[in-house]
Amino acid sequence: MRESISAVVARNDVWEGVAASEPYEVAWASEAVIFLRNLASTGTPETARAWVQISPDGLHWTDEGTLLAIPREGDLTSVRIRGFGAYLRVMTVLPEGSSFKALLTFSLKE
Amino acid sequence: MSTRPAHWGDPELSKFDPLPRIMAYDKFSDGMRGYTALVGNYEYTLDNVLPGFRDMNQPMLSNGSHWETGTHGALSGTYALKIASRPRPRSVNMALKRMTFRKACPIQIEAYFAIKPEATELLLSDLDVGAFGLVLDLQDNERRIMPHVRYLNALGGERQQKWQYKSVLEMPHEVGGDASTGETRSHHHFGADGWVDVPGGAQELCYNEVPTKYNWHYFKLGFDLASMSFTHLQCNDRVFDVSTLEPMRMGAWPNLNCMLNVCWTIESDSNKRAFLYLDSVLVSGDWADA
């Protein structure tokens, strides 16, 4: 049996300006589907993009290369990634006056 | 000739001191083992979660990889369950396993753990972790009982290094805003106020010099589900007097009968994330079905 975890990394967190999810350790996993829901919006956050970052230590981050659309209020977006090392997060930079309540889920599999 | 307990011959269990029946043995190198995040109670929208619960998110499986040493690993394997606070003072996170009990009997919770702050400074950093603790959430047919113990490491940057318990109740709140149905409530029971020192409860743990070294510690809590009282509190070589310790006691809440939740908390005292690592947790009891 392969271990699997759906980790809700951000639950109703308000993302505005420069925003990033909390560091999440994924060294045991070989694949991830990242789901992002927008529970409530101010302005137009969907005009920005989020992107995936990876880290060897949870402190220093580099772009993994995958972009993730920010959904409109009530919607859901996703990306699939593999081979991401020890730590994973999602970050974004939102336009001034735009924010949203993020529900970010990493569906990870061994 | 001395008789050795049978479990001493088992390399997995020999480091524990369980009661006769094992209710759950969770070695986190085998996975998450049913430990999950706590979500504060709510109706209609997550906006109605009480503020003290909003920082909480999922625990993770950690191999303890650091910038200057690489992977640390755990005690019994590569992975530990890691519970992380947010990077702000008094931010609390919790991970728990939800069970029920078959008989009101003596139980024990044993664990191998380590606490560390995030290694964002090349300094000792031993006062960045605020506290870690164990809460049991129990209910029989008449009462909801919540034993709370914690190790208070630092408060406002001041060294504390002592065990505490909490028995005062926190006010329950309805969680549906103006449209509350009255069927769901929430209480911030692990909040900062009301903690009392365990008599003789001062203890210095093995912090070990830098944030990226973990030394695994043994913890044991004993509690009797029949009398709903503490029977044991131990960390490594120290066994504390529990005769004055009291759990929170309240009337039964709806739909919680026979609840046995094992809840671990971590709290920061600084602008760094605080981490509780659990290598393994063993819940045992002493009962026979009638």
Side-chain angles (χ1 to χ4, degrees):
Chain A
M1 187 69 73
R2 296 163 69 190
E3 178 77 3
S4 63
I5 297 169
S6 283
V8 176
V9 179
R11 182 204 294 135
N12 211 35
D13 288 355
V14 176
W15 285 13
E16 57 188 344
V18 178
S21 60
E22 290 294 292
Y24 199 79
E25 295 207 34
V26 291
W28 61 273
S30 61
E31 59 186 71
V33 185
I34 298 174
F35 295 100
L36 181 60
R37 278 180 66 192
N38 175 344
L39 300 179
S41 274
T42 299
T44 54
E46 63 272 15
T47 60
R49 288 289 179 273
W51 58 95
V52 177
Q53 291 198 312
I54 56 176
S55 170
D57 52 23
L59 303 172
H60 305 92
W61 297 89
T62 186
D63 294 346
E64 182 268 349
T66 301
L67 293 176
L68 174 62
I70 293 178
R72 296 177 184 276
E73 182 173 297
D75 285 350
L76 171 73
T77 58
S78 70
V79 292
R80 295 182 176 89
I81 60 171
R82 300 181 62 86
F84 32 71
Y87 293 82
L88 196 60
R89 76 175 184 181
V90 170
M91 79 167 295
T92 188
V93 180
L94 296 177
E96 192 171 343
S98 289
S99 66
F100 73 106
K101 292 179 178 174
L103 189 80
L104 178 70
T105 304
F106 295 164
S107 287
L108 302 153
K109 191 170 285 184
E110 194 169 2
Chain B
M1 197 172 87
S2 65
T3 303
R4 291 183 173 184
H7 74 275
W8 282 18
D10 181 338
E12 294 270 323
L13 297 179
S14 186
K15 61 182 177 291
F16 292 99
D17 186 22
L19 294 172
R21 300 185 74 173
I22 292 174
M23 303 164 79
Y25 170 54
D26 297 318
K27 183 181 78 172
F28 296 106
S29 279
D30 292 339
M32 295 280 272
R33 306 286 303 173
Y35 275 85
T36 189
L38 180 67
V39 59
N41 293 340
Y42 61 92
E43 290 180 325
Y44 307 115
T45 166
L46 292 171
D47 293 345
N48 287 329
V49 168
L50 295 184
F53 293 87
R54 290 176 189 165
D55 281 355
M56 293 180 170
N57 59 18
Q58 203 90 8
M60 58 194 106
L61 293 177
S62 169
N63 67 2
S65 289
H66 298 297
W67 70 274
E68 87 292 45
T69 54
T71 295
H72 191 293
L75 175 68
S76 305
T78 300
Y79 297 102
L81 187 77
K82 176 182 176 181
I83 310 166
S85 78
R86 305 292 175 110
R88 48 181 171 261
R90 311 316 336 153
S91 173
V92 178
N93 200 358
M94 176 186 285
L96 76 164
K97 181 160 181 151
R98 295 189 171 101
M99 309 164 65
T100 53
F101 60 84
R102 274 158 64 180
K103 189 161 188 174
C105 68
I107 62 167
Q108 274 184 184
I109 290 82
E110 298 173 84
Y112 282 87
F113 74 92
I115 52 171
K116 281 290 178 179
E118 190 169 36
T120 52
E121 284 186 297
L122 311 189
L123 292 170
L124 180 63
S125 309
D126 66 329
L127 301 182
D128 289 317
V129 173
F132 82 98
L134 174 63
V135 176
L136 301 181
D137 197 353
L138 311 166
Q139 180 158 308
D140 60 20
N141 292 324
E142 298 173 352
R143 301 163 292 179
R144 185 175 182 186
I145 305 291
M146 301 184 75
H148 285 60
V149 294
R150 73 173 183 180
Y151 179 79
L152 183 64
N153 182 61
L155 188 62
E158 298 291 326
R159 192 180 310 276
Q160 302 292 322
Q161 298 186 327
K162 60 186 178 183
W163 291 91
Q164 296 186 310
Y165 70 100
K166 180 173 178 176
S167 60
V168 296
L169 303 183
E170 298 280 357
M171 181 72 72
H173 300 271
E174 295 188 346
V175 288
D178 294 338
S180 286
T181 66
E183 294 182 330
T184 303
R185 295 178 291 166
S186 184
H187 61 147
H188 187 217
H189 52 87
F190 49 85
D193 298 328
W195 292 90
V196 175
D197 293 350
V198 170
Q203 183 176 23
E204 186 176 349
L205 303 181
C206 181
Y207 178 79
N208 198 350
E209 300 171 327
V210 295
T212 54
K213 298 178 184 175
Y214 321 151
N215 285 74
W216 298 96
H217 294 69
Y218 175 70
F219 172 88
K220 178 163 80 172
L221 180 79
F223 199 81
D224 185 352
L225 300 178
S227 63
M228 289 294 186
S229 58
F230 288 93
T231 58
H232 195 88
L233 176 62
Q234 177 179 354
C235 183
N236 279 356
D237 58 339
R238 300 289 309 281
V239 178
F240 302 101
D241 177 7
V242 297
S243 61
T244 62
L245 272 59
E246 281 290 325
M248 294 181 191
R249 299 177 187 273
M250 61 205 88
W253 284 34
N255 63 63
L256 301 179
N257 277 3
C258 294
M259 181 165 65
L260 168 48
N261 289 350
V262 178
C263 317
W264 300 91
T265 63
I266 183 73
E267 179 172 341
S268 181
D269 191 55
S270 73
N271 290 319
K272 298 176 188 172
R273 295 175 178 88
F275 303 138
L276 171 62
Y277 298 90
L278 294 167
D279 169 82
S280 44
V281 177
L282 192 154
V283 181
S284 58
D286 187 359
W287 83 95
D289 290 321

